[in-house]
Amino acid sequence: MTHTGAVFTLAQARHLVATLQPRIDELIRVRADLTELQVDLTNHGLSALGGRPELKGLEARLHAICDEIGQHGIEIKSVAPVLLDFPGEREGRQVLWCWLEGDADVRWYHRADCGFAGRRPL
């Protein structure tokens, strides 16, 4: 698999995670509110978080945050949990620097064709 977009060094990937942490934190908050609101509306027809307009607003905000993160060339593999991949190179091979929600820093990588199951520590 050949990647044609942005290519990051490990240092750049780590810097972006630190720089984007407020957006990532917001994504996590919006994801939690959206989930709670969906469950409440499905189970009870009402929620302390609002109704359909608030649900649509949260969905729009979640997509906007993902778009903002993606504009940096970062691949968002999952939002629950947040899983970000940064295309890069290691020892002359294409890899993805991998950050998972809860990680303090980018400390993993994997080959693009191996996915999450192929994650290795740096």
Side-chain angles (χ1 to χ4, degrees), residues 13-35:
R14 286 178 167 163
H15 176 75
L16 265 174
V17 166
T19 301
L20 292 172
Q21 195 62 56
R23 292 286 73 73
I24 294 167
D25 292 344
E26 182 182 3
L27 188 154
I28 292 166
R29 282 190 307 274
V30 169
R31 178 193 70 202
D33 286 349
L34 179 59
T35 300

Side-chain angles (χ1 to χ4, degrees), residues 10-74:
L10 177 57
Q12 289 169 326
R14 286 178 167 163
H15 176 75
L16 265 174
V17 166
T19 301
L20 292 172
Q21 195 62 56
R23 292 286 73 73
I24 294 167
D25 292 344
E26 182 182 3
L27 188 154
I28 292 166
R29 282 190 307 274
V30 169
R31 178 193 70 202
D33 286 349
L34 179 59
T35 300
E36 187 176 322
L37 181 54
Q38 287 172 324
V39 168
D40 286 350
L41 292 178
T42 298
N43 292 338
H44 310 293
L46 57 103
S47 173
L49 294 173
R52 295 257 328 134
E54 289 76 16
L55 180 77
K56 292 298 181 192
L58 288 169
E59 288 173 343
R61 186 66 196 135
L62 185 72
H63 289 293
I65 296 166
C66 289
D67 288 346
E68 182 182 339
I69 292 170
Q71 287 174 1
H72 293 274
I74 301 165

Side-chain angles (χ1 to χ4, degrees), residues 3 7-8 85-98 108-112 122:
H3 177 78
V7 176
F8 300 92
D85 279 347
F86 301 78
E89 273 189 22
R90 179 180 166 95
E91 299 170 357
R93 294 174 48 197
Q94 290 185 339
V95 298
L96 295 168
W97 309 117
C98 188
W108 299 86
Y109 76 98
H110 58 85
R111 289 182 5 199
L122 290 166

